[in-house]
Structures are given as C-alpha cells and as structure tokens.
Amino acid sequence: MDAKTEYAYILYETPAAHVARIVLNRPETANAQDTQFLYELNDAFERAAHDDDIRVIVLAANGKHFSSGHDLAEKDWYAHMADYDTVGTMCGFTCAGAERQMAREEEIYLGFSERWRNIPKPTIAAVQGKCIAGGLMLCWPCDIIIAADDASFVDPTVSFGVGGVEFFHHLWEVGARKAKEMLFTSDALSAEDAWRLGMVNQVVPRAELETAALAMAERIAQKSRFALKLTKKAINGAQDAQGRELAMQNAFHLHQLAHTHWLKLYDFLMDPTGLPEATRKALGIKLEEQ
Ligand code: ZN
C-alpha cells in the first residue's frame, strides 16, 4: 500500500491496482469539515482524477462516524479563504455581508460537491456511523454508496432555520416526497431506509465495509476507463437535462437568503434557538436579537 500523509485531515492511498482511496482522517471531531479539511479533500479528489492510472476512487472515513458535517467551531473562516487558491470562478471573498458568505459557500460547499460529482471516473463512498448535513455533501456526489449497517443519514438544518444543506440533492437521492419528510422532520434515515429508497447501493455489516467497497472498486476498475467515463457522463447528463443544475442553483440562493436572515437577526448563520444550549455557549452566541 502506498500511503501518503502530507495532508493534515485526509489520507490518500492506493490499496489496489487502479484504485485510489481517499480517507477522511479527523476522527476526533467525527470528521467535521473546516476550510482546510475541504481544500485537502478537493486536492485529493483532483489528484486521483488527474492520475490516468487511477480508474476508480473510494471515499472512506476513519473513526466511528463518516462525518458530523461542517465545523461550526471554526474561527475566522472568511479570513481563512485568503489562505487557499480558490478553484471556482466565484469572487467577493474579501467583501462584506452576504456577498462574502455566498462566495465562500459557492466555492467550498456547492462548488466542491458539484466538482466531485462530475469527476469523470467512478466514485464509491463507504459510509459508517453518522452522516450529518455536510456529511451528505461528501457521499451524495459519489456514484455509488455502500453503507455499513450502523450508518444513518440526516439533514437537520430546518431545525436551525435553514431549508437544507448547500448541495440540495435530497430530491435526487430519495424522491420529492421523502425529501420533504426528511427535511420537515429532521429525522434520520437508517442504512436500511436509504437502501430501500435507492439512496445507497448496498448495506453490509460494519466490519465488512472496507472490504465491500474495495471489492466493488476492483470489479469496476477492470472495465474500460473510457466506457466508464462515458456512462457516468450519460447518467449525470440525464439528471441535468431534467433541470437538476438549475434546481440546485435555485435552492442554493434560497439557502443564502436564510443565512442572511439569521445573520441580520442574531449575527449567526442559523437560528441559534434551534441549537442545543451547550453548542450556543461553545460558539459564544447570545440569544438577544440584534
Ligand atoms: Zn450555508
């Protein structure tokens, strides 16, 4: 195995011929995603995408949980944007107000998830434990999802006054009616629920997750690289022909409206009354309206 460890939060491995495995490696925070984490992850995806010897990419996670979502405890995240070479065509990172907020989310949330969805190689997510909010934005862009039997999937953002995560793919994953239920209630989908709805391809015992994902990757890696690319483009293109891209943009802009609303009321991105008191305290949020 050729393990690389030059990232702080991500491992890049080549566990089998023509297979890259990218591992989320911040288990002490249940793989919470801060700005550095996401830029490292994007770099690892691009590295696998640009390596012609790699045919299939596996996305896995170390620790009990796949990902707890965005790291709300990150400080100075607007200032941090200057530390990275941005990869999209957005601008306004150094501006004030909603402009910089939208630019940041367009780059590292919606933008990254769309980039990963469109990598011209099959991608397989191996998900265990909790996959919360921003966690969905890592596994949903993958072509295939293999879930451990202990996996659960939840987008609780409506409880915090925001109508869904930035990569608003719920409807394309579970259908409109179930998407509404999961958002309206903030209830989690079990691995079994997700399999029944067609959101995940396989459910396997937790101990077999790594082997199952690698076995799937090795089988696919035997196929023609070019045929795999064309097939992926055909299926993703069909979703886009149904209006997916435009619908995603619309939802993203509504999401920005929600952030702007709560920033104006509480100087915080979400409705803080929906957060547990301990979280509010940790983040230094006061409940008096501004
Ligand atoms: Zn947001």
Side-chain angles (χ1 to χ4, degrees), residues 101 105 109 166 255-256 259:
Q101 174 61 29
E105 297 211 340
Y109 297 156
E166 293 83 359
H255 178 98
Q256 296 309 312
H259 280 327

Side-chain angles (χ1 to χ4, degrees), residues 33-82:
Q33 308 160 30
D34 66 7
T35 307
Q36 181 180 351
F37 181 104
L38 287 166
Y39 271 101
E40 288 186 1
L41 179 55
N42 184 61
D43 191 81
F45 268 125
E46 298 220 337
R47 176 169 164 182
H50 294 155
D51 183 344
D52 285 344
D53 189 49
I54 296 299
R55 297 189 176 190
V56 181
I57 304 166
V58 174
L59 176 66
N62 276 342
K64 195 170 173 203
H65 302 296
F66 182 75
S67 177
S68 56
H70 298 152
D71 186 353
L72 297 179
E74 182 179 1
K75 305 286 183 211
D76 303 322
W77 59 29
Y78 300 114
H80 272 313
M81 292 306 297

